[in-house]
Amino acid sequence: MTYKAPKGTHDILPEESAGWQRLEATVRSVMDRFGYDEIRTPLFEETTLFARSVGETSDIVKKEMYTFTDKKGRSLTLRPEGTAPVVRAFVEHHLGRGRDLTKLYYLGPMFRYERPQAGRFRQFHQFGAEAIGSADPAVDVDVILLFTRILEEAGLGASSVALNSVGDAACRPRHVAAIREALAPRRDALCPDCVERLERNPLRILDCKVPACRELAAAIPSAIDFLCDACRAHEGAVEEGLAAAGIWFRIDKSLVRGIDYYTRTAFEIHHGALGAQNALGGGGRYDGLAAELGGPPTPGIGFAAGIERILSVVDKPTAHRPPVVVILSNDADGEVVARRLLYKIRTVARAEHFGGEGHVTKKFRRANEAGARFAVILFKDEIEEVRKGILTVKDLSAGLQDQEKQRKRQEDEFLNELRALVKREG
Ligand code: AMP
């Protein structure tokens, strides 16, 4: 019997870790500069949190949740997205108390029972940001700029912002009525899900993936054509703000995000190289969400980005980082001294010990092949000196032949040099 990672999940292998860590470091660094603090919420929540916020009729809630009952009969769900948990935590811990705007970010796994395909997994990873407390369109612009800056610093070239407005409670009823009016006569051409949606939540028809429904949806009026004055002004201000920041965007009237809590601004960032699954991420405003979750009415906006998607289009960094120092010994007494020295060198740099029996030349060759910058020689003759803090160090940067490069060094001085080197080169 052999095991495999469950369908739709994947191991992040050692050779991939450097790419993940670099992207995560970029995310953390940009979030910090934009004034966002990290929040970590549980990987599972009460099922009703998602049903109420993401929406009963959304694909996520209807088809994609990993829901289970715990031993006390509570219904729990592995989080399919990050916004509802963050807003839940915001309300629960009164995080907005005493400030106008609370800026939070998260990074971690999400779970959706989707049909696995290129760029779609059942456990995938997102980072995201939420700015909660302000209805000012300048915050929408700032959130989009935060996203584009992360992508820029992650090394992504051409990505484009698609922008839309889905209106709010004031203008939505007119849009919903228009959808009903346009589609009621075409009922027979809709998929069974959409027939139900036509009754319960016609807006959901706009993100149906069935080709026949997509075709019909493309022909019906868009939310942005029904905006009330306040929503129109908001949308205009976001456009102006993006243009002023020099961000290239286009209005995509068909952009609806498959989640109920969105109001006004909706956006996605796409990358040409990704084909059908080309959204790196997206987000929008959710001015009614905090109140929906039992908190005081508090506007908010955020985005989520797919880490796997981003990593699939950026250059991969070198996976394995070679040791900076290798200690070479081949003597039982040397072994003990080498172990102690190794522990000390590892306070400042990546280091390994090639001990045990073996020919001196072979050990040098192995150190060289490992990509080490320095070999510390600790054969029989050197043991006493090392005990006194004098090291015999060979600089391997010029290869093995260069005898000039072998020198006696004071341990402290060598450690300082390593410290400086690591600071410079990592
Ligand atoms: P969403 O929350 O659906 O708007 O997703 C935001 C981003 O997360 C998408 O643009 C993708 O980059 C990523 N994403 C969403 N679902 C998946 C999935 N099943 N597998 C991999 N990445 C995903």
Side-chain angles (χ1 to χ4, degrees), residues 112 114 119-121 124 126 257 279-282 304-306 308-309:
R112 294 184 197 171
E114 296 198 77
R120 272 203 184 276
F121 308 100
F124 60 99
Q126 288 185 333
R257 312 225 344 111
L280 296 174
E308 284 85 353
R309 295 267 174 94

Side-chain angles (χ1 to χ4, degrees), residues 286-363:
Y286 43 79
D287 292 345
L289 182 56
E292 181 67 35
L293 298 183
T298 316
I301 176 160
F303 75 85
I307 296 186
E308 284 85 353
R309 295 267 174 94
I310 294 175
L311 288 176
S312 72
V313 286
V314 297
D315 293 337
K316 309 280 173 295
T318 319
H320 182 69
R321 305 174 75 213
V324 181
V325 179
V326 169
I327 302 171
L328 306 180
S329 75
N330 63 357
D331 174 279
D333 290 343
E335 196 80 15
V336 181
V337 183
R339 293 250 156 238
R340 199 177 309 141
L341 181 61
L342 179 69
Y343 192 52
K344 211 183 259 177
I345 293 178
R346 281 178 169 168
T347 57
V348 294
R350 287 186 301 281
E352 297 295 335
H353 170 212
F354 295 168
E357 308 249 302
H359 198 277
V360 174
T361 329
K362 261 202 189 134
K363 287 200 186 259

